[in-house]
Each structure stands twice: as structure tokens, then as C-alpha cells.
Amino acid sequence: MAGVHVSTTVNGDDVEFVCPGSESLLDVLRNRLGLTGAKEGCGTGDCGACSVTVDGQLVCACLMLGAEVEGRQVQTVEGMAQGDQLHPLQRQFIENAALQCGICTPGFLMAAKALLDRNPDPTETEIRYALAGNLCRCTGYDKIVRAVSATAKELSQEATTKGSKKR
Amino acid sequence: MTLDTQFTDQKFKLVGSRPDRPDGVDKVTGRARYGADASAPGQLVGAILRSPHAHAKIKKIDTSKAEKLKGVKAVITSADLPDLTNGNRGNYDILENCMARGRALYDGHAVAAVAAIDAETARRALSLISVDYKVLPHVTDVDAAMRSNAPIVQPHVRTAGGEPSDKPTNIAQISTFGHGDVEAGFAKADKIVEKSYKTEQTHQGYIEPHACLATVGPDGQGELWVTTQGHYTFRNLCASLLGMDIAKLKVTSSEIGGGFGGKTHVWMEPLALALSRKANRPVKLVMSREDVFRASGPTSSTSMDIKIGCTNDGRITAATATLRYQDGAFPGIWGMLGAMTAFACYDLENVQSVGYDVLVNRPKVAAYRAPSAPMAAFGVESTIDLLAAELNMDAVEFRLLNAAKEGTKASYGPTYGPIGIGPTLEAVKNHPHMHAPLGKNQGRGMACGFWFNFGGQTCTDLNIGVDGTVNMTVGTVDVGGARASLSLIAAEELGIPYEHVKCNIGDTASLGHNDTTEGSRGTFSSGMATIFAARNAIEELKSRAAKTWDIDPEEVDWVDGEAVAKGVEHSNLGPLSLAQIAKASPNTGGPIAGHSETVADGAGVSFASHICDVEVDPETGSTRVVRYTVVQDAGKAIHPDYVEGQFQGGAAQGIGWALNEEYIYGEDGRLQNPGFLDYRIPVCSDLPFIDTEILEIPNPNHPYGIRGVGETSIVPPLAAIANAVSNAAGVRMDHIPMSPPRIRKAIKAEAAMHQEVSAG
């Protein structure tokens, strides 16, 4: 069967692959690029376990075709830490025990990062609605909301410190 | 004695603290490998063809076209899975559930499977298999299945525990528990409430679908990578169903993306192994979400009658329950467990509960977190609230007056030791939540719950490295922080820092048998085995120190991670740390290790009491949980973060069950909502923060006092929310889930009745 040749950027690296036109971005990431951090929980866009960003937009990788990411910027959980430095969200998830089984965690981290990127100081309600597309069956979301809230606080304090240093 | 299981009230340095979990980095970076994350060179993709009928005779399966399709490497039907079960009906049922044998018993029952070079080819191959069905009458409702004219699901079944009969029936088992004389008890009652209830079928809803990677060679050796709660049980079952030697099948449990009881059973793993054996290639088989809903193991739907009587001063004189649980298409013990748990919270002189296990054309029921207890608790705790209202007595006071205590003979048989039902009720009574004001259209409810907790076979290894760090291998899986808890226990015993312990989940080739991680047994059993293994290693460490000092091992003590020579005559000998002894080990006798092989008996029963506030919109019937508090006895919370997590997670699942989740079957016997869009589990914006209060009433049969904590938290929510909704909406809800249409209908019916009364 004829494949589609795709050139794209994943976590800042240039990537090329060939996939059938019908193959989802999720299957491309997991089966062709070896990036198994995004998970398939449903395959229908209902659980958010496959959340990634494409050009900064949060999407379910199971609902996009691999062929659609030609020339675009894809970010996955594997690209979240900078070298050996975990992203503050990753650290806060561990410190707040915001994961039990951990299967939904990559999706939650991507969704929470997308939230904080556009709203650095969300209320509890804003956090809850921003994460409503991600299902977690273990935690009841309590510690996840707390972890996101703590990260927002940490990042805003960091920004204040940096700001005052500049002055 | 190092292997004494008695609670010792030891003072802890680490246990009870909240360090970061050791597998945290793996799980926040996407590095942790779950069931579907493994691959093998040359692997094929497996796919399963499933019955579209609720009940059908399979007249013929023609796989010839599929076999001829390019890229297809194996096709199997039940003909490829000969019956090797040797009269073991339980194993035969498992084999038949994995793949239909002449009859499809439910919508989604597997009938054939293929392995092909890629997913697309596998899908095309399935479409080329032709199955000739003769559709048979079906039954999916538990009450309908008990009628004498109901379609028969399993013709061989006769009622166990019932009157002997030759007539086929769907009632697989009747289980009766209780004591005293309930007729005499009701005769003494001043007030009696009798009511019937129903609950719909729900699914555990773990986010990770079943997935495995199977490799079997013509030499009869095999490997299975699988998401499971019990890799040793899977190994034994798969080997036995496929005629393999147990020792030649290595099963590795992947990280597990939620189980809640649903990953205690094999579903498609034997098919993956059979496909691999036929193709002589590795086969990866992953269920779709639709397959998970249609063909894994949801919980029972139920129908029940509860009757409780009491005196005017609030003492219960008699209680009975008739509980009808459907098991799906294969006999289970779910009605029995409902009957055992129904009245476990109370001290009753006269009590009887009867559980019916009933077959229907639905998927085989599996355990779901404290299986069967939430439904029975819904019926009993709703009736208790009704009775308290009749008495004009506070519902908490009424429960306290009748609560079981140490020495109570439980309705299911045993006599309780120290237990937590009274203390959780006292804590609820004094909790600020109970005294907070309520808003418009809001109501408060509370309820209690019980779960047995299990122990079982457990095997743990603990190896001390030459640098003094400790590598521990356990055979229970980590479903939500177990590595952290077990590392804390090992570090506590050995007197070393938490960070010096690395906890691994061993595969079946690395350790002796471990029972499935179920019944809230992980931290209880592997915790016990860890303590014993550490104490076993300490004996060896002491003997090495004695050797170094050239004194008798009896003269060595272990204090805070160091060997200390006892007595003034040895006061010249400075202590030797674990690290020092480990470093010298190559010259004092070689590697130092501790082991434990045990049957962890004495799991402590667990009780919880929950408080819930809801707001019901009288126009739409929509309900929102506005505040929720869990109070539960943990025995001892090893890592409180993950104990709270279990409390919160169980409550959230219970909230979903109470308000929204249900399997919806059509007249045709097919499941209409096999997806997360139409089977809607609670999302983040549905829930409030879930407050927790951990009580610690030590389990006398565990050195640290541990009880299981994972399951009890799902038992009270159905009833607590039903009581809250009933208080908010002014109508008694007797059918779970209390979805908006059901609540609206109940409110309207109540209003119509009032109108009639006032008009009359």
C-alpha cells in the first residue's frame, strides 16, 4: 500500500516517516517513532491519554492523522523535561502524589502545561474545566488539581523573583 | 521470633512519612512501560472477531478466505484450543469465555482470532471470516433470568445450595448467611421498613485497555508481557489451558494502567499465546475500548429486597436481605459476596441474607473494588436511613447504637477483633462537615461500608549490594504507590534511608508464586513478606558481624541499621553499619540476602463512613456533589499520600456509579454504550476536592498493624449519595444510577402523589 511521506518536528527534532494515509498520529508516535508516552485509552478522543500539542494546540493524537503533521511542531510528554531538569509540573505531580497507576499522567501533564501556558494563574474551577477532557480513574482528581495549582504558584513566584532581579 | 505476625506497636522513623515514589520519574516522563508499550522483533498484530449476538449457536466458522489473505500468519478458533481442563469446570468456563465453543453467550464473545503483519491486514482478515449463527433467545435482566420460562444461558447448570433438581436454571448458586431467629426478631420490632432496590451494571473503567505481547516457540517455551494484577495466576492458567509446562512460561507484569479487579482474570491472553504458537512469531494483542466494555469483566447488576426492624429506642431486632446479582454468562460468587457483606457493619441478634448468583447473556462478571459490597450497602444503608427517619432519630446516632464492635458475631460468621466501624462513625459525628450549613436544593447523606481484605501467598527477595543499598523484588504489582510503601517498610526494618532501597516487581521466573494482587492485599501481604525478608537478612548481617568480631552471633544486636556487640566485655567493639558489613561480604561468606515465602493470614477487616453533600436541580434532575468526606480505618497508613489516594479514588468511582454510569442493553441484547462518551465516568469538573480522615486501629495480625485500604472506599458512596439525594430532592431514590431522568421522574411522581393527596 502506498504510504504518505511526512516531514515534521517532534520535540524540537526534525523527523521523517512514511505511514498509510489512514494512520493516526498516535499510532505514528507510538509505533513508528518509538514515543510510547502518549497512550491509547479509547481511540475516540474521550479520555485524553494521548494528549499532545501540535503547533501549541492541545489535541488528542488518536483523532489526528499522521499525515496532518507535515511541517508542524509536535510536542509530547517525552519533550517536557529539559535535559535532567524535570518540568515543574512533572516534579509537582510526583511531590503531590498526583498519580497512582500513571497511565493518564502524560496526557494530564500535556493538558496542564497547555493550560498554564495560556493562563498562568488559573482558579480551581479553571483547572478543573481545562482538565475535563482527561480521564483519571484512580485519583478522583484531588491531588492532580492540587499539583497543577502548586505549579502555577511556583511558576508565578519564580516570575516575580526574576522580575525583581531585573529591576 | 522474626516471623511473628503479631502487632508490636513498634515506634517508626520512616513509616508514616510521605517521600516521593521511586517510580515517579518514569511515570511523568512517559518512560514507564505499560501493556501496549512493549514490542518484539518480528512481532505480529493480533485481532479478535466477536459475536454480534447476545446468544447464538455457532453452526459453522469458515476461515479459509482469511487464511489466504497475504500477510495473515495465523487464524484460530476454538478448534485450536482443545479442552485440556480435565473436568475442572472453573477452568473450562475460563477457556470458553476466552473463545466461544459452539455457542456465543453474549454480545462481544470472541469467536475467532487472527495474527497478521500489521493492524490493517488483521482487520481485513477478520472481515473475511464468515460465521454462520443461529440466533437463540437471550436474557440480560437479572429478575427476568430467574423466571421459570427464561432462556437458559448454561444448560448444564443446576443450583448449588438450592433444592436438588434436574431442570436447567439460570440460578447458579444460592448462598445463605446469618444467625438468630429473624421471625422472632421482627415480632419484637416496633417499626419495620421493607424496600426493594436496583442497581445497574458498571465497569471498572481502568484507562489502560487489556494488552499483551505473547511469544511461544515450537520448543514449548514462552513469554508473556501483560498488564495484569496477577502474573503468577495468569501464568498458571495460561499454561494449563494451553498444555504448557508452568516453568516454561515466563510472565512479566508490565506497569498496570489501572485494574480495580478487572485485571485479575485472563480475557484474551491465552488467544495471544495460541496465535503466537501457531505462527511461531511474537503476537501483540491489544483490546479496543469497545472490546473492553463488551468483553472484559464488569460488575453485577442487581435487584434486592431489604427488611429491617427495630424497637422505638432504636435497637435493631431483625434484618433480612434477598440479593439477586447477575454473574454474566458464567457462574461466579458475586451474590454470595453481597450476602456476606450486606450487614457486616452491624451488631445484630437476628439476621439473614440470601444471595442469588444468576446467569444472563452479558459478559462474565469480574471483581470490581470490594466486589458486590457497594450494591448491598446501598440497599441496607438506604433502609437504615429510612428507619432512622421513622424513629425521628439522627441517622449517625442510630448507626452508632447498632454498630458492630470487638466481640460482635458478624452476620457472615466470624467474631470480630478490634474494628473501626464505631470509631469512623464517631469521627463522622464530630466532623465539621456534618455541621456545615446547606444551601438551597442541597442535601446531606452519610453511609457506612465494609470489606473483608485478603492476604494470601506471597514471596519476596531482598538483596544487599556491596555498597549497602538494597534491591528488593516483590511479586505483587504496583497499582498505585506500592513500591513507595514497601521501600519504606524495608528501610524501616533495616534502619537505612528510604533512598537506599530499590523495589522491583519480579517476573514469574524470578520469584516463587504470589497470589494475585487483589483484596487490598498488596501492602498488607508484601509488607509482611518484606518485614520477614528484612529480618531474615538482618540475621545474616548479624552473623557476618559476629564473624568479623570473632564472637558468637547471639552476642550481636541490630540497632538503627548497625550491628552492635552486646555486653561490657565487647565494649571495645565499635558498631558495624549495614554498609560496612555489605562491603566486607565478599570475604565473610559472599552475598547477603533475605527471603520470605509466606501465606499472609490475618488480613484485618476494614470499615469506612462517608459524608456527602449534593445539590439537585429540581428542573433537570441533575445532581452535583458539592462536598465529600471519607473516614476510613487503615490499620496503619504506611505512606499516607497513597492511602488518601485510595480513599479519594474509591469515592470518585462510587460517585460515578451512583449518579451516572450504567451498561445499557437494547432489546436485541447488544450493549449500546461501549465507549467513554456514552458510558461517562466522572471528569475533573464533576467533582469537588475529596476530604479524607485516616483512622489507625491496628490490625492485631500484622507486625505494623496494616489493614488493606484499597477497596472499602467504594462501598459507602452509592448509599451516602442516595441518602443525600433523597434528602435534597425529598424523594427516596431506589435505583442506581440516579441519573437526571430517574431523579426527575421520581420528583414528578412524588409531586403528582402529593397533588392527588391534597385534591383527595
Side-chain angles (χ1 to χ4, degrees), chain B residues 447-567:
Chain B
C448 303
F450 157 88
W451 185 245
F452 311 92
N453 294 332
F454 301 160
Q457 298 181 74
T458 312
C459 183
T460 294
D461 266 7
L462 190 150
N463 292 289
I464 298 176
V466 286
D467 63 351
T469 60
V470 170
N471 205 287
M472 180 165 70
T473 305
V474 302
T476 49
V477 305
D478 186 347
V479 287
R483 287 182 183 91
S485 302
L486 298 174
S487 298
L488 274 170
I489 292 173
E492 182 79 50
E493 280 299 312
L494 294 167
I496 59 175
Y498 167 79
E499 294 74 19
H500 286 193
V501 181
K502 165 78 180 171
C503 180
N504 310 284
I505 312 301
D507 59 47
T508 60
S510 312
L511 281 177
H513 179 84
N514 279 268
D515 284 339
T516 300
T517 310
E518 61 188 350
S520 299
R521 81 177 210 92
T523 305
F524 169 79
S525 318
S526 275
M528 191 183 280
T530 297
I531 293 168
F532 294 161
R535 291 180 184 175
N536 184 224
I538 287 169
E539 288 308 306
E540 185 59 26
L541 287 160
K542 281 158 63 180
S543 115
R544 300 297 177 90
K547 198 169 178 184
T548 306
W549 287 325
D550 198 18
I551 63 175
D552 194 290
E554 297 295 308
E555 295 177 288
V556 182
D557 251 348
W558 190 259
V559 185
D560 294 337
E562 293 180 327
V564 179
K566 289 191 266 193

Side-chain angles (χ1 to χ4, degrees), chain B residues 116-307:
Chain B
I117 52 164
D118 56 31
E120 182 54 36
T121 311
R123 269 195 295 272
R124 283 180 58 208
L126 290 188
S127 70
L128 293 174
I129 298 174
S130 104
V131 185
D132 191 6
Y133 292 105
K134 181 184 180 230
V135 176
L136 301 171
H138 66 270
V139 60
T140 54
D141 178 75
V142 63
D143 290 321
M146 289 176 73
R147 292 186 196 122
S148 58
N149 60 348
I152 293 297
V153 180
Q154 295 275 19
H156 74 277
V157 163
R158 302 293 179 274
T159 309
E163 294 293 316
S165 160
D166 273 346
K167 205 169 161 268
T169 171
N170 289 325
I171 302 171
Q173 181 168 247
I174 302 174
S175 316
T176 305
F177 297 89
H179 53 251
D181 180 341
V182 289
E183 289 314 314
F186 283 121
K188 275 192 252 170
D190 298 313
K191 295 215 175 342
I192 295 176
V193 171
E194 192 171 2
K195 192 162 173 59
S196 299
Y197 303 88
K198 273 180 96 84
T199 69
E200 296 301 327
Q201 184 161 33
T202 57
H203 193 274
Q204 300 85 350
Y206 32 83
I207 306 301
E208 180 200 30
H210 298 270
C212 68
L213 174 61
T215 312
V216 184
D219 55 1
Q221 302 195 48
E223 294 193 7
L224 180 69
W225 163 275
V226 60
T227 176
T228 172
Q229 290 175 246
H231 40 310
Y232 298 86
T233 308
F234 273 39
R235 172 191 61 175
N236 296 0
L237 260 177
C238 289
S240 139
L241 295 179
L242 294 164
M244 296 172 71
D245 293 335
I246 283 177
K248 291 181 190 158
L249 177 61
K250 179 171 108 175
V251 182
T252 306
S253 72
S254 68
E255 292 304 325
I256 175 171
F260 315 110
K263 289 176 181 163
T264 57
H265 295 56
V266 296
W267 308 108
M268 61 6 164
E269 295 78 6
L271 305 184
L273 288 161
L275 284 167
S276 173
R277 180 162 66 182
K278 196 162 180 181
N280 192 17
R281 298 259 296 262
V283 173
K284 186 162 168 176
L285 190 50
V286 180
M287 271 192 180
S288 67
R289 177 57 53 184
E290 183 180 331
D291 287 355
V292 173
F293 276 113
R294 288 169 75 206
S296 61
T299 192
S300 309
S301 53
T302 71
S303 142
M304 51 200 155
D305 313 316
I306 311 291
K307 182 178 175 187

Side-chain angles (χ1 to χ4, degrees), chain B residues 562-700:
Chain B
E562 293 180 327
V564 179
K566 289 191 266 193
V568 280
E569 69 273 28
H570 299 315
S571 55
N572 58 327
L573 300 172
L576 282 173
S577 70
L578 181 143
Q580 286 171 315
I581 300 168
K583 193 175 174 189
S585 64
N587 303 317
T588 60
I592 301 174
H595 309 277
S596 173
E597 295 88 29
T598 187
V599 178
D601 286 330
V605 293
S606 161
F607 293 90
S609 295
H610 290 194
I611 318 167
C612 172
D613 295 354
V614 299
E615 186 171 313
V616 179
D617 180 342
E619 292 295 313
T620 63
S622 165
T623 301
R624 194 174 167 76
V625 174
V626 292
R627 187 169 179 185
Y628 203 101
T629 302
V630 176
V631 182
Q632 187 177 318
D633 173 19
K636 175 69 201 173
I638 302 301
H639 191 307
D641 276 351
Y642 293 105
V643 173
E644 292 164 3
Q646 291 296 321
F647 290 7
Q648 292 163 337
Q653 285 184 318
I655 290 168
W657 193 341
L659 293 178
N660 209 56
E661 297 175 33
E662 67 177 301
Y663 268 42
I664 299 169
Y665 277 89
E667 288 294 314
D668 58 1
R670 300 189 67 180
L671 182 61
Q672 295 183 337
N673 58 336
F676 279 138
L677 188 62
D678 297 317
Y679 182 98
R680 192 176 176 284
I681 71 173
V683 303
C684 197
S685 53
D686 292 336
L687 298 178
F689 284 121
I690 294 167
D691 297 327
T692 58
E693 186 174 335
I694 302 173
L695 303 188
E696 294 185 329
I697 295 130
N699 172 7

Side-chain angles (χ1 to χ4, degrees), chain B residues 3-25:
Chain B
L3 302 187
D4 195 346
T5 62
Q6 290 291 304
F7 174 66
T8 58
D9 203 12
Q10 138 183 17
K11 297 291 165 253
F12 297 117
K13 290 188 166 162
L14 295 173
V15 163
S17 64
R18 301 172 185 246
D20 290 352
R21 63 192 286 166
D23 52 339
V25 171

